[in-house]
Amino acid sequence: MTFRTPGFGRRLGTGRTRLLLPVLVALAALLVAFLVFTAVYTDLLWYRSIGFSSVFTTQLQAKVVLFFGAGLLMALVVGANVVVAYRLRPAYRPLSVEQQGLERYRAVIDPRRRLIAWALLGMLGVLTGSSVAGQWPVWLAFLNRTPFGVRDPQFHKDVSFYVFTYPFLRLVIGVVFATVILSILAAVMVHYLYGGLRLQGPGDKASPPARAHLSVLFGLFILLKAVAYWFDRYGLVHSERGAATGASYTDVNALLPAKTILAVIALLCAAMFFGNLLRRGMMLPGVGFTLLVLSAILLGGVYPLLIQQFQVKPDELAKERQYIQRNIEFTRQAYGVDGAKVVPYGTQPVTDKKALQDEAAKLQQNGVRVLDPNVVGETFQQLQRIRPFYRFPDTLDVDRYQVDGKLVDTVVALRELSGAPVGQRSWVKDHMVYTHGYGFVSAYGDRFASTEPDFITRDMPAAPNQAIKVAQPEIYFGERSPRYSVAGGRGQQELNYPDNSPSGQKSSTYDGQGGVPIDSFAHRLLYSAKFQDKNLLLSGAINKNAKILYDRSPRQMVQKAAPWLTLDGDPYPVVVNGRILWVVDGYTTSNGYPYSEQMSLGEATRDTITDTRSAVARQANDHINYLRNSVKATVDAYDGTVHLYQWDEKDPITKTWMKVFDGTVQPRSSIPPELESHFRYPQDLFKVQRKVLTKYHVTDPSAFYNGEGFWEVPEDPSAKGKRQPPYYQSLRMPGQDAPSFSLTTVFNPRGNPQLAAFMSVGSTSRDYGQIQILQMPRNAQPAGPGQVQNSFETDTKVKNDLFTLRQGGTKTVPGNLLTIPFGGGLLYVEPMYTKAAGGSEQQPYPIRGKILVRFGEGIAAADTLDQALTQVLGGSGAPAQSGSPGTPDDQLSAPAKKAIEDLKAAVTDYENAQKKGDYPGMGEAWKRIKDAQAALSAAGQEPKTSPSPSPSASPSASPSATPPSS
């Protein structure tokens, strides 16, 4: 027989249930705490790995201070008012239907009122703290503000007040407003719940204590409104009411005094509410509040409207002239275009053929960039990818390098990793073998090797005698790096490049400074949680000294190292002292500059490239009215080392943030000269400035008001409905002795397809940032880009040439339409590429078809630029570029002709042998190439660069067996 206490099982089950809930809550809290710790600590480890831990800790400290400061302020003030309202509850509540209904709620709330109050106040504090913590840049910039040395013409305050102080004051006022409003709502709810306020029944609707409490709160609210009215006066410098941005005639003469009067009325109204503590009744505060509302409507709305309608509109130009002048002056300052030089051009074009031919000879000597980086990405991909798991960007970059003692425009790209081969993927291969890209590939910008790019650096491994020396070709940090990789472990074999060795690859082990050590259990646990990948914790392949590399795209790294910067959308690689560096341009921006026109950064920088290509990042639609290229940043492609260099030494915003994050930005004097020689004027800054200059090249207020001389950025002829992008090219502007690497664009008159102006900005040390605008005569404007493109398609001879190119299953791909100041006029040059249509395997990538040229009314298409110039200018034309395909046979001696034929045959044999993997045949063909080059040199026709064999895209080709190219 067994005995059991009745109900024992039920009590045990109930006890277990009661115990289970706290355990689950505790476990959930521990899990959340672990995840938060993981996120914070792994971020700290990443910052330490690049030497910028102070950036992380400074941000974290600021966020913590603002979170707890604002959260506690909100919770304490609202909580204090809840307590006051509860303690002021009436001891006796009259019996009524209303109070009987509220009694049910009081019965539920009263036993749990403290728990409910703490929960609600805690939630309110967290929400407020989280919101305000995100404004840490506003607070830190205010604390470290730097004067601009420029005063606004209305209030005579330094511009720093509007950029740093005014946003902080608005933030403080906003937080205090929210606190007071929520205190009023909380007090009203408590007073109503406990009978201090009632909606029904005879007599007073509010008890004297409730009336006094709410009078104080409403008085504080209206007092804050008076403060807001006073500071609203300074916001008028950003007004959009008038003919131009900034305080207009109506703002200054109607709204400014109205704001002052409203501030005084609000003070009086607040005093009436506070005075209600000494008397009974709400009549006086009600009168004051009504007066404030009516004043706000009449003074703040109706009166300025009447002034605008009856004083300004009948004579707007006269009334607004000085304010338009302020807008012009401050907008040009804010966007850095106040030094732009606008000069008349095209009034006296050169007509003498001999002079034009001499000019063409100089042009050819300097070189014209006919290789379009926006088109030949596919060509690089096919000819230099080598293996399918590598990838080039679809938009390449343009730089300049010293090659054979001459500075040449160069189209460059990095061979980055796209992932482990399809069908061979595993966790180890994805994250520990295929960890990095390999190689810097470059080609002459001003020539082709036959119809394909004439490569300067190529293949993998690159030949040691190539013109651009790369000592560290591995790319662990790039734009297309994997999400994370584990590299550098003892004995770890990471793919460097494929070859024909028994292992099938040349391996290496990462030994750079970048990355976070992951050879400890604690770090492996943290990163396993961060990336939600158990293999990081369980894999036995992770050896001693291994590091995890993540968050490693150049823009992402620089953005984290300098969160106060806005970054250019197009980082570009450079080779400096044998190492590959990414260069990222950083901007300081603001929307607080007085009298400056505001614009969307995203909209201003949109063009064909940002809309159709993935390699260039779009800017966010942030609204700005101030922009400076303040920082040049570099990221080492091998070890991830980040350097920030101060570029604009006058920018007060940069100086402010250099105080905040002390020691993170190096002075301009520390930039290595070899690196500075590769700096180029950034595209996004240029795009914003050209948009500004469509209007603000006009500096006379009357002409600006009429808008007759405004310009627009033309439509890209090759992409309907999209803006033409700016182009990098080396050119010699009128009055310059030597060519300069420049960024160029053109303008159309607004609503007119003709050409209004040509704009260029230099990137060399002697003219960096100098904007030059050649303004065309208004009575004889040349053809614009769309008209030039149309003339190429309709000219009889060019049309026939293009028709021929489009036969046999091929299509044409237009390259960049370059506009070049030439002979007192404008020379247009456009490479036209051909590409197999319909996915044909014969030639699936763009190659040079024709070079199209227009000067004046002369139009031509030829295989080379010099041939096209000869057709357009007449005579013998410019001297053919040495070694360029298409040199007329009658200019060559018989030995030279034979040497060229031998060279072509040897190149063909080399390519055939490479495709077959016939390495002895490749070696023999290479010897014949060198012999033919020597014979050509002996014949007096030494080329600047010999035709180089095009590498096969076949996976069987061995890059390691490729002989050095000359």
Side-chain angles (χ1 to χ4, degrees):
M1 180 181 292
T2 60
F3 295 93
R4 185 174 61 181
T5 303
F8 176 78
R10 289 196 300 275
R11 290 199 300 273
L12 183 61
T14 304
R16 286 176 178 175
T17 303
R18 289 177 178 174
L19 182 62
L20 181 61
L21 184 59
V23 169
L24 291 176
V25 171
L27 289 175
L30 286 174
L31 178 62
V32 170
F34 174 72
L35 294 177
V36 170
F37 173 78
T38 297
V40 173
Y41 189 64
T42 54
D43 268 358
L44 177 59
L45 291 175
W46 185 92
Y47 276 95
R48 284 177 179 170
S49 73
I50 65 167
F52 281 77
S53 57
S54 64
V55 174
F56 177 79
T57 55
T58 300
Q59 287 183 76
L60 185 61
Q61 289 168 5
K63 290 177 180 178
V64 168
V65 169
L66 290 177
F67 177 84
F68 285 103
L72 286 174
L73 173 69
M74 177 67 75
L76 290 176
V77 172
V78 175
N81 280 280
V82 168
V83 171
V84 169
Y86 179 75
R87 291 186 175 181
L88 295 178
R89 68 192 185 281
Y92 167 75
R93 291 183 291 273
L95 291 177
S96 66
V97 175
E98 181 183 23
Q99 291 303 317
Q100 288 175 357
L102 289 173
E103 189 62 37
R104 293 198 301 268
Y105 296 103
R106 287 194 288 266
V108 172
I109 293 173
D110 259 344
R112 306 173 182 84
R113 66 176 183 275
R114 293 192 178 184
L115 178 61
I116 294 172
W118 280 112
L120 292 177
L121 290 174
M123 186 183 303
L124 190 60
V126 168
L127 293 175
T128 303
S130 301
S131 176
V132 176
Q135 299 298 315
W136 64 267
V138 175
W139 183 51
L140 291 181
F142 167 73
L143 293 179
N144 297 274
R145 58 195 181 277
T146 303
F148 276 66
V150 177
R151 295 184 176 274
D152 81 279
Q154 184 60 47
F155 299 102
H156 309 293
K157 288 188 172 293
D158 190 272
V159 169
S160 62
F161 172 81
Y162 301 99
V163 174
F164 302 123
T165 306
Y166 187 70
F168 177 71
L169 293 175
R170 302 304 305 184
L171 173 64
V172 171
I173 291 173
V175 171
V176 177
F177 254 124
T179 303
V180 172
I181 291 172
L182 289 173
S183 296
I184 292 173
L185 292 176
V188 167
M189 290 174 63
V190 174
H191 281 303
Y192 179 68
L193 182 64
Y194 289 97
L197 294 176
R198 51 198 178 90
L199 303 177
Q200 301 174 3
D204 290 338
K205 297 298 187 289
S207 66
R211 184 186 303 112
H213 184 200
L214 293 177
S215 294
V216 171
L217 290 177
F218 276 105
L220 287 173
F221 174 81
I222 295 174
L223 184 61
L224 281 174
K225 192 64 181 172
V227 174
Y229 278 133
W230 182 261
F231 283 111
D232 281 348
R233 297 157 64 250
Y234 299 111
L236 294 177
V237 298
H238 304 129
S239 171
E240 299 288 342
R241 180 189 296 270
T245 300
S248 64
Y249 178 90
T250 300
D251 293 319
V252 171
N253 294 279
L255 206 52
L256 179 58
K259 293 285 185 183
T260 306
I261 295 170
L262 286 172
V264 173
I265 294 174
L267 283 174
L268 296 175
C269 185
M272 292 179 186
F273 273 95
F274 292 138
N276 202 43
L277 292 171
L278 305 177
R279 61 183 305 278
R280 183 172 180 175
M282 295 296 293
M283 186 183 72
L284 192 59
V287 170
F289 185 74
T290 303
L291 175 62
L292 179 62
V293 172
L294 289 176
S295 299
I297 295 172
L298 295 176
L299 293 176
V302 176
Y303 178 57
L305 184 64
L306 294 175
I307 294 294
Q308 181 72 22
Q309 191 70 30
F310 296 104
Q311 285 194 20
V312 176
K313 279 197 173 181
D315 192 15
E316 190 170 27
L317 177 58
K319 291 288 192 295
E320 299 284 11
R321 181 186 296 274
Q322 66 168 314
Y323 306 107
I324 294 174
Q325 184 64 57
R326 292 176 180 180
N327 170 256
I328 293 172
E329 178 185 344
F330 277 76
T331 298
R332 288 172 62 90
Q333 287 177 8
Y335 291 103
V337 300
D338 48 331
K341 296 179 180 178
V342 181
V343 296
Y345 182 77
T347 55
Q348 296 179 328
V350 176
T351 56
D352 180 71
K353 286 191 175 181
K354 180 63 170 64
L356 290 174
Q357 290 164 9
D358 292 343
E359 185 81 6
K362 292 180 182 178
L363 183 68
Q364 284 288 82
Q365 184 178 5
N366 298 330
V368 175
R369 187 185 56 71
V370 291
L371 190 67
D372 185 356
N374 303 320
V375 173
V376 297
E378 271 187 280
T379 309
F380 273 52
Q381 182 84 349
Q382 290 291 330
L383 300 181
Q384 282 295 304
R385 179 173 58 169
I386 309 297
R387 290 292 190 273
F389 46 79
Y390 292 115
R391 180 174 177 80
F392 289 98
D394 49 6
T395 298
L396 310 184
D397 290 296
V398 182
D399 201 353
R400 65 279 196 205
Y401 284 87
Q402 285 282 348
V403 179
D404 297 330
K406 180 185 176 184
L407 196 65
V408 296
D409 286 4
T410 312
V411 176
V412 302
L414 299 186
R415 188 186 291 108
E416 294 201 56
L417 184 71
S418 62
V422 177
Q424 302 182 33
R425 302 190 64 179
S426 67
W427 185 86
V428 171
K429 287 183 179 180
D430 284 346
H431 299 288
M432 299 188 69
V433 176
Y434 293 88
T435 57
H436 61 279
Y438 186 93
F440 176 86
V441 179
S442 61
Y444 290 98
D446 61 347
R447 70 188 71 166
F448 292 87
S450 184
T451 58
E452 295 176 350
D454 190 356
F455 291 104
I456 303 171
T457 52
R458 57 183 299 160
D459 301 339
M460 51 193 303
N465 64 340
Q466 293 188 356
I468 302 174
K469 310 292 184 186
V470 183
Q472 193 79 64
E474 293 87 358
I475 304 154
Y476 282 89
F477 295 82
E479 293 182 297
R480 288 162 184 78
S481 297
R483 184 185 180 205
Y484 74 86
S485 296
V486 177
R490 179 178 294 174
Q492 184 170 329
Q493 299 295 302
E494 302 159 30
L495 173 69
N496 224 17
Y497 54 85
D499 63 9
N500 278 356
S501 65
S503 66
Q505 68 180 50
K506 178 70 174 179
S507 299
S508 66
T509 302
Y510 174 74
D511 64 354
Q513 296 297 315
V516 178
I518 197 175
D519 53 359
S520 68
F521 176 79
H523 283 188
R524 291 175 69 171
L525 175 63
L526 289 173
Y527 282 101
S528 178
K530 179 180 180 68
F531 292 108
Q532 299 180 15
D533 190 338
K534 64 181 183 299
N535 292 295
L536 283 170
L537 181 64
L538 303 177
S539 175
I542 301 176
N543 301 327
K544 188 176 181 181
N545 299 328
K547 292 182 175 181
I548 185 168
L549 312 178
Y550 63 100
D551 288 355
R552 48 184 170 147
S553 74
R555 291 185 85 244
Q556 186 179 21
M557 296 182 73
V558 174
Q559 190 67 80
K560 292 180 72 170
W564 46 279
L565 288 174
T566 299
L567 301 182
D568 191 85
D570 186 23
Y572 58 99
V574 302
V575 176
V576 179
N577 297 325
R579 297 188 73 91
I580 300 172
L581 304 178
W582 291 97
V583 177
V584 184
D585 283 283
Y587 307 119
T588 46
T589 63
S590 173
N591 62 1
Y593 205 90
Y595 284 96
S596 176
E597 180 170 292
Q598 193 174 98
M599 68 176 62
S600 164
L601 183 59
E603 176 58 29
T605 55
R606 287 186 64 183
D607 59 24
T608 302
I609 306 304
T610 59
D611 286 350
T612 61
R613 306 300 175 93
S614 61
V616 179
R618 281 191 188 182
Q619 293 288 358
N621 287 321
D622 297 333
H623 284 80
I624 63 168
N625 66 3
Y626 174 90
L627 182 66
R628 287 290 186 277
N629 179 206
S630 52
V631 169
K632 298 284 189 180
T634 64
V635 177
D636 191 295
Y638 180 73
D639 66 13
T641 302
V642 177
H643 288 289
L644 306 176
Y645 299 104
Q646 183 183 12
W647 185 245
D648 189 334
E649 297 177 294
K650 297 179 180 178
D651 177 39
I653 299 181
T654 306
K655 293 178 182 178
T656 294
W657 288 108
M658 288 175 70
K659 296 177 193 174
V660 175
F661 300 114
D662 187 33
T664 59
V665 180
Q666 301 175 51
R668 181 166 177 166
S669 58
S670 64
I671 300 174
E674 299 83 3
L675 172 61
E676 187 171 349
S677 67
H678 289 283
F679 285 167
R680 64 188 197 185
Y681 201 78
Q683 292 191 58
D684 286 346
L685 172 62
F686 185 79
K687 292 175 188 177
V688 170
Q689 289 177 327
R690 76 173 177 179
K691 182 171 178 61
V692 169
L693 286 168
T694 57
K695 292 169 57 178
Y696 288 90
H697 67 281
V698 179
T699 56
D700 178 72
S702 300
F704 187 92
Y705 177 80
N706 293 325
E708 290 297 328
F710 288 172
W711 302 331
E712 63 185 8
V713 179
E715 186 179 89
D716 190 340
S718 63
K720 299 299 181 184
K722 304 185 184 301
R723 290 195 198 101
Q724 187 179 41
Y727 298 124
Y728 287 106
Q729 56 178 321
S730 288
L731 57 81
R732 183 166 54 87
M733 292 289 284
Q736 287 185 340
D737 297 329
S740 173
F741 187 72
S742 304
L743 188 55
T744 64
T745 191
V746 295
F747 298 103
N748 290 347
R750 184 171 288 183
N752 189 321
Q754 292 179 302
L755 197 76
F758 173 87
M759 173 177 164
S760 169
V761 61
S763 293
T764 60
S765 57
R766 67 177 183 275
D767 65 351
Y768 188 97
Q770 178 58 60
I771 298 174
Q772 300 182 69
I773 299 176
L774 306 181
Q775 187 165 6
M776 306 299 142
R778 292 187 179 180
N779 58 350
Q781 290 177 331
Q787 293 174 317
V788 171
Q789 187 70 44
N790 184 62
S791 70
F792 287 147
E793 295 288 346
T794 56
D795 179 82
T796 303
K797 184 178 182 308
V798 174
K799 184 178 180 180
N800 290 335
D801 288 337
L802 296 180
F803 179 77
T804 303
L805 292 177
R806 292 162 182 163
Q807 300 305 302
T810 62
K811 65 179 181 178
T812 56
V813 181
N816 40 216
L817 178 59
L818 300 179
T819 306
I820 303 170
F822 177 86
L826 294 173
L827 175 71
Y828 299 93
V829 178
E830 181 181 57
M832 185 65 72
Y833 296 83
T834 62
K835 178 183 177 182
S840 170
E841 296 184 1
Q842 269 190 331
Q843 186 269 304
Y845 55 89
I847 62 173
R848 190 269 301 153
K850 295 289 183 181
I851 305 296
L852 312 182
V853 169
R854 171 171 171 167
F855 179 69
E857 297 303 317
I859 300 176
D863 291 338
T864 63
L865 177 61
D866 60 297
Q867 292 175 352
L869 288 173
T870 299
Q871 294 179 32
V872 169
L873 303 178
S876 59
Q881 195 172 22
S882 291
S884 298
T887 303
D889 289 345
D890 55 7
Q891 296 181 12
L892 300 176
S893 62
K897 291 179 182 178
K898 182 178 185 306
I900 289 176
E901 292 301 320
D902 291 344
L903 182 59
K904 290 179 178 178
V907 168
T908 301
D909 291 345
Y910 176 92
E911 291 176 338
N912 292 335
Q914 187 183 40
K915 291 176 182 177
K916 297 175 183 177
D918 180 5
Y919 301 113
M922 291 168 64
E924 190 276 334
W926 187 259
K927 182 177 181 302
R928 288 166 51 207
I929 288 173
K930 302 301 290 185
D931 291 343
Q933 289 176 338
L936 191 58
S937 177
Q941 300 291 337
E942 175 68 29
K944 292 180 181 177
T945 178
S946 61
S948 301
S950 298
S952 171
S954 168
S956 64
S958 170
S960 60
T962 304
S965 69
S966 147

